[in-house]
Amino acid sequence: MSGEQPHETERPPPANGGATPNALDLTSCDREPIHIPASVQPHGALLALDPETFQIVQAGGDTQGILGGPPGSLLGQKLSDVLPQNLTQRVRLLLATEGPIVRPLHALTLESRDGRMIDALAHESSGLVVLELEPVQEKSPEDALGLMQTMLQRVQQTTTPQAFCQSMAEEVRRVSGFDRAMVYRFLPDGSGVVEAEARDPAVDSFLGLHYPASDIPRQARALYLKSWIRLIPNARYTAAPILPTVNPRDGQPLDLSYSLIRSVSPIHLEYLHNMGVTASMSLSIILGGRLWGLIACHHRTPRFLTHRLRMACELFAQMASSQLETRVAAEDFEAQLRSKRVHEELVTRMSQEGDLAEGLIRCRPNLLDYIPAEGVGLWFDGRYTQLGQTPNARQVAELVAWLNKNVAEGVYFTDRLPQVYPPAAQFSDVASGIVALSVSKFPRDYVLWFRPEAVRTVTWAGNPAKPVEHGPNGDRLTPRKSFDEWRESVRHHSPPWRNVDVEAAQTLRVSLLEVILKRIDQVAREREEARARQEALAIELDRRLEELKQESQRRAVAETELSLVLRSTVEDQEAERLRIARELHDSLGQTLTLLQLGLDELGPALPAGEKNRLTALRQLAQGVGSEVNRLAWEIRPTALDDLGLQTAIQHFVETWSERLNLQFDLRLALNDRRLAPAVETALYRVLQEAITNIARHAGATRVGVLLEARDDEVRMIIEDNGRGFAPDDPVRAGTPAARLGLLGMRERLSLISGSLEIESAPGRGCTLFVKAPL
């Protein structure tokens, strides 16, 4: 293949999932810095320029042939000293209008000292301007855009993804002139397969051959995501070093990720040599932001494609990737439509069936129609229900225990279960692949689809286990020298699950409500008991059905009306309390104040004998004022509006403690936090009503009050040590009058979306739990 090889390449695991004997530690192979090789291919030249002064900081490649001097002699010179001034002006213009220039842009076509035409391309990297100079050695197409459009028109005539890939290979070979062009697709395990091929009859076919993941390591794939095209015109070259090897200003190597003449790994050149390839070109196929594959081209002799032709191929690869993504998505969409129709029927049946496990597998369509498989099993509350070919109940119980321990909740799938769960080798003939859908909290219940082992033969391009070469610097893996077909039987694998299968499982998981699934066994037992009582109760149920219906309607109306009345009463009562409190405080309070002032003014003018009467009148006026303040406080405490709920409660408790000889235990944790006025008023009134009830009915000596606010909720607990009561006592709670106090509390709380819960028992006191959202 055309992917770059590191100096050490990863040995692929055996297809049966076993360990590789004496395997080397190859973790470093995916970290080789192939983007900073400090060298270029010698057919071109590279100049790294200071972006301000355009002084040459680094140089490499064929500067002697193109510029008339070796790389070292160019360092420190300005670009205009070695190349025409108009190139400097053109590059400055590109930086000003196109910057930052991440990928190379064609700046100018120049004539070299020896009369050759040179393409100059510029981009920015590592804080420098990188100028690449490539001699034009082949004929360039006059209309590159038209050429690309023709290529697209031809591939668009295909109808399936496979035919589209074949057409891509044919078009790229026709336009580029390479001996072989093939479409190489990455498989889920990282290995690859040649899906389509167009070739000269004189070269061998690679169609259908598989390649291990190590042939194109991770860092090479990362570069393919960055740069759509990679060309090696002559793989028999000797790398031309860049001088100096690091930027003298920061000591860092030059990043050549987007360079068109970047030198490649020596192991990759050896790899191409072993394949009999002299020139290669790779075009990325990217679907949904992921590297789907490559269009890989090989030639037996050197090929120096011009910049225009490369750009046409690159643009074609980008447009064709979009077209291929559309075709792949269309196939997936058809499968999604089929799954959606089955999903809708399953959801309808789930809402009607008492025993969901039976409903999901008994009728058609069922879970096997939803996701194609040979068997499906449902593990709910330790009971196993199955359809089709599945492991037995004991094996599934052990598998579920392993899933609960090792797999996060959600949807888990694999097409090689024995590799991750070795006991599955015992039943690989029915379950080498599973999709496991968890439907409850730990310990989780599962819906499981099973696919059997599909023994298949994989044809590799040579032995995928690369040989180890022993040398003075230790062991390293070397590229294969033979690419003859190498067949290997793959065991303990099932046909792979498609993305649409996994998405269908995730959709079904959303529809399977956890509460319904947990009640499957309970519903089944209740149905059995109901059948035994059904005949005996049928006549009585028929007779009472109409009575219950009418009674239910009357009761619903009465409850609704009572609720509305109570709600309106609470709102009106609070408004009236506020009005009366204001009248007492503002009008009557001011009048009493004026009366006291008037009495004070009369003092000096009265005879001595009348002053005792004046003093009595003053005391009377003060008493009336105190009583007015007390009434105003009880009706609507001003502290509730001015100082907040916590202060109002403290004042209220002090008053009742003195009046009733009650001992209060307060734990108020608002920390001077103010709540919404409606919330403070409702909580204060609930406390007021609760203390009143305790004083009238409980015979308590101690009352505890807890008030605390969290981020989204305020909670109040009122507890007494009184005589208590049974909340469901029909004598106490059966009449509207007896229930009015509690209903009033609930109605007040309902105005602020709050709730009230009661815990009480005769002789054990009573506790009220009040909650309200903030």
Side-chain angles (χ1 to χ4, degrees), residues 25-208:
D25 180 8
L26 304 177
T27 56
S28 63
C29 70
D30 285 330
R31 297 195 298 270
E32 185 192 13
I34 61 175
H35 62 297
I36 49 173
S39 60
V40 296
Q41 299 179 53
H43 68 279
L46 179 144
L47 302 176
L49 312 172
D50 183 286
E52 299 296 332
T53 64
F54 270 48
Q55 186 180 41
I56 299 174
V57 178
Q58 293 175 274
D62 187 21
T63 60
Q64 181 69 52
I66 296 175
L67 301 175
S73 67
L74 303 177
L75 300 178
Q77 297 190 54
K78 291 188 177 181
L79 180 63
S80 57
D81 296 335
V82 297
L83 286 169
Q85 178 66 33
N86 61 341
L87 176 59
T88 301
Q89 296 171 348
R90 173 61 178 164
V91 174
R92 287 192 182 278
L93 179 62
L94 288 176
L95 293 174
T97 58
E98 303 289 341
I101 307 174
V102 178
R103 303 178 62 197
L105 293 180
H106 186 269
L108 211 60
T109 300
L110 309 168
E111 184 174 352
S112 68
R113 297 176 183 270
D114 57 5
R116 292 182 297 171
M117 301 307 295
I118 306 295
D119 277 332
L121 300 102
H123 72 283
E124 294 177 82
S125 179
S126 301
L128 301 174
V129 176
V130 179
L131 187 67
E132 297 182 80
L133 306 172
E134 286 190 271
V136 179
Q137 302 187 45
E138 297 186 9
K139 184 178 179 181
S140 180
E142 295 183 1
D143 185 6
L145 180 60
L147 181 64
M148 184 274 297
Q149 290 175 332
T150 301
M151 296 171 71
L152 278 179
Q153 289 173 357
R154 293 188 177 187
V155 298
Q156 286 173 348
Q157 296 175 6
T158 61
T159 56
T160 66
Q162 178 59 41
F164 188 87
C165 290
Q166 181 61 37
S167 183
M168 281 197 299
E170 293 171 355
E171 287 303 302
V172 171
R173 180 173 184 269
R174 178 182 66 84
V175 168
S176 67
F178 276 84
D179 291 334
R180 178 192 296 111
M182 51 190 174
V183 174
Y184 176 90
R185 178 170 65 90
F186 293 110
L187 300 177
D189 63 357
S191 65
V193 62
V194 178
E195 292 278 4
E197 180 184 59
R199 63 183 176 90
D200 186 299
V203 300
D204 294 334
S205 173
F206 289 167
L207 183 64

Side-chain angles (χ1 to χ4, degrees), residues 468-490:
V468 178
E469 181 178 276
H470 303 284
N473 296 322
D475 297 339
R476 74 176 180 94
L477 298 183
T478 61
R480 296 185 299 279
K481 292 182 172 60
S482 172
F483 290 84
D484 294 336
E485 293 184 356
W486 180 284
R487 290 181 174 83
E488 181 179 32
S489 294
V490 177

